[in-house]
Amino acid sequence: MYNTILQLKEVDFNYNAKNIFKKTNLEIKEGEFIFLVGESGVGKTTLLKLIYFDLFPVNGTVKFDRFDSVTLDRTDIPLVRQKIGIVFQDFKLLNDRNVFENIALPLYILGEKSEAVRRKVFDVGSLVGLMNRLNEMPYDISGGEQQRVAIARAIVNDPLFLIADEPTGNLDPFIAMDIIKLLMKVNTKGTTVIVATHNFEIVKKFQNRRIIQIKEHSLVDVRVKN
Amino acid sequence: MKIKHLIAEAFRGLRTAKISTITTIFTITLSLVLIIIFVTLSVNSGKLIKSVKEKVEIEVFLSEDISNDETNDLREKIRTIGGVKNITYISKNEAAKIFEAEFGKEMLEVFESNPLPASLRINLYDEYKSIERMNKIKNLISTYPKVDDIIFPEKYLEVIEKNSSVILTINLISLIIISLSSVFLVSNTIRLVISSRKKLINLLKLLGAKNSFIVTPFIIEGFILGIIGAIFAGIIIFGLNYYISSKFFENELKISILNYENLIFTAVAGIFLGIFGSLITVRRFLKKEKAVI
C-alpha cells in the first residue's frame, strides 16, 4: 500500500478575479506517474506552483509530504523544494556555467561534498545520456540535450516528487518521446512524477498511466480513447 | 553550505557582470575619497582651532617699582589659581627684545629708556580658555598688589568660540549627508549587479536554496568590491597627500590625509559600503520578488 504524497483538499484559487480552481480535490500516491492535461491557460502551471508552494490557495489545503499550505512556515519553503525536482518548459539553464555545474546546482544548495557532487552528476549524466556533454556550455548543445540537462538537474538530488511543466513543448516529436521515456525511467526508480502537457498525442501513447484533466475549475481522472 | 562554492559564485558574479562591477568599484572609490577628504578637513579644522587656542594666554603687566621678592610672591599667588598651567616671566629687557623682533629697533630708539614693563605670561589649561573663566582669573589677579594691567585677546577668543561650534556642526551634518549618500549610491549601483542576476536568484529559490545561500555570494562580492574600492581610494589619497605635502610643506599645520588611522578607516568603510550596499539591495530584491502565474 503506497502512502499519499500529495493531497489537495477543497482548494480554491483565483487569479485577477478569475476562478482557476473551485473546491478542487486531488490525491497522488508515492511512485505514481501522472499526466496533467488541459488546454493552454487552463491552470496546469498554477497547479504545479501550488504543489511547490510558489502559490497558495485562497481556501482549502495543499499537503505535500509532511508540509501543509495552511500551517507551513514560509522559511520552510526551501525544505519543500529540496524534495521536489522541477523541469521547466523554458529549461531555465544558466549560461554562465557548463552542463556539469548546471546539473550540480541542487547539490551545492544541499552543501554536498565535491566528491559526492562529482559522483552524483556522473550517475545522473549517464542516466540521461549526457556523459560526453558535461563540459559543454548550455548554448552549445541542442534543445533536446538542454531538456535532458534540466531533467538531470531536477533528479540529481533524488527528489520524492518530480514536476515537469510542458517538458516536450519546444521539442520535435521524436525527441519529445525520448524525454517522456526518460521521465518514466526516473519513475521506475521510485520518484513520483507529474507531467503537465497540452500534447494529447503523446498522452494517447501512454494510456496505461494515470491522466488528470483540468476541467471546469476542477481536476478529473480521465481515460483517453484512441 | 560550502563556503568554497559560495566564494566561487561570488567571483563568477564579478566576472559575469564586468561593467556593473567596474561601476561599483568606481562608486565605492569615489565615495571613500570624498569621505576621507571630508574627515581630514574636519579633523584639521579641529586641530586648527586647538592650535589657535593654545596660543591664547593672559599677560599681567607689573609695576615699574616691583621688587624681585614681590614678583616671586605674585608668581606664587598666581600659581595657586585653578587652571594655571605655567607662568613665564618676561623681564623689561626680554620685552624689548620681543618688541624689536616684531616691530624693529627704530621704534624703541625714540625713547631714552626702555618703556616696556616686565610681565608674567600665564598659560592656562584648555578647558579654562573661555572668555568667562579668563575674565574671572583676570579680576582675581587685578586685586593683587603691583599689578598695572592685565590683558588677554578677548575679541579673538570670542571669534573662535563662536565659529568652532558652527564649524563642528557643519562638519558633522556634512559627514552624515556624505556617508548616507555614499551608502545610497553604492547600493543603487549594486542593484545593477543584482538585477543582472535575477534569473539566477529566481532559479535558486525554485531549487530550494535558503536566503542565506542566495545572499552570501553577494555579501562576499560586496566585501571584495569594498576592498578593491578601498585600495583604489588609498592610491588616490596617497597621490593627494603627496601633492598637498609638496604644496604646503612650509605650512606649520602640516595637513596630512595619509596616516594609519585614515588607511584603516578607508578599508573598514570600503568593506562596510560594499557589504551593506549588497545586503540591503539583495534583501530588498528577495522580499519584492513574488510569484507570477
Side-chain angles (χ1 to χ4, degrees), chain B residues 100-117:
Chain B
E100 271 177 33
E102 283 182 16
F103 303 104
K105 223 172 179 177
E106 304 78 28
M107 294 283 281
L108 279 175
E109 280 170 355
V110 179
F111 302 98
E112 282 178 11
S113 60
N114 177 6
L116 299 169

Side-chain angles (χ1 to χ4, degrees), chain B residues 3 9 13 36 113 117 129 134 142 155 183 205 218 250 252 270:
Chain B
I3 193 71
E9 274 298 313
I36 290 294
S113 60
K129 287 178 180 172
M134 287 178 94
S142 65
K155 291 272 172 213
V183 171
K205 283 164 80 177
F218 287 101
E250 300 295 318
E252 65 175 284

Side-chain angles (χ1 to χ4, degrees), chain A residues 13 15 46 49 52 54-55 78-79 81-82 86 88 92-94 96-97 101 105 108-109 111-113 153, chain B residues 1-2 4-5 9 12-13 16 197 199-200 202-211 213 290-293:
Chain A
F13 187 82
Y15 185 70
T46 303
K49 287 188 173 187
Y52 59 83
D54 204 23
L55 296 173
L79 297 179
R81 295 191 184 159
Q82 285 168 12
I86 310 170
F88 305 97
K92 291 199 192 304
L93 300 181
L94 299 171
D96 62 348
R97 60 201 75 200
E101 288 168 314
L105 211 49
Y108 292 134
I109 290 170
E112 296 267 10
K113 291 195 169 136
R153 184 183 61 196
Chain B
M1 194 159 55
K2 298 270 281 178
K4 207 172 116 190
H5 169 74
E9 274 298 313
R12 189 201 303 272
T16 313
R197 268 179 287 157
K199 191 180 164 186
L200 170 69
N202 284 331
L203 179 66
L204 288 173
K205 283 164 80 177
L206 292 171
L207 295 181
K210 290 184 177 169
N211 279 358
F213 184 90
K290 280 188 183 153
V292 177
I293 297 177

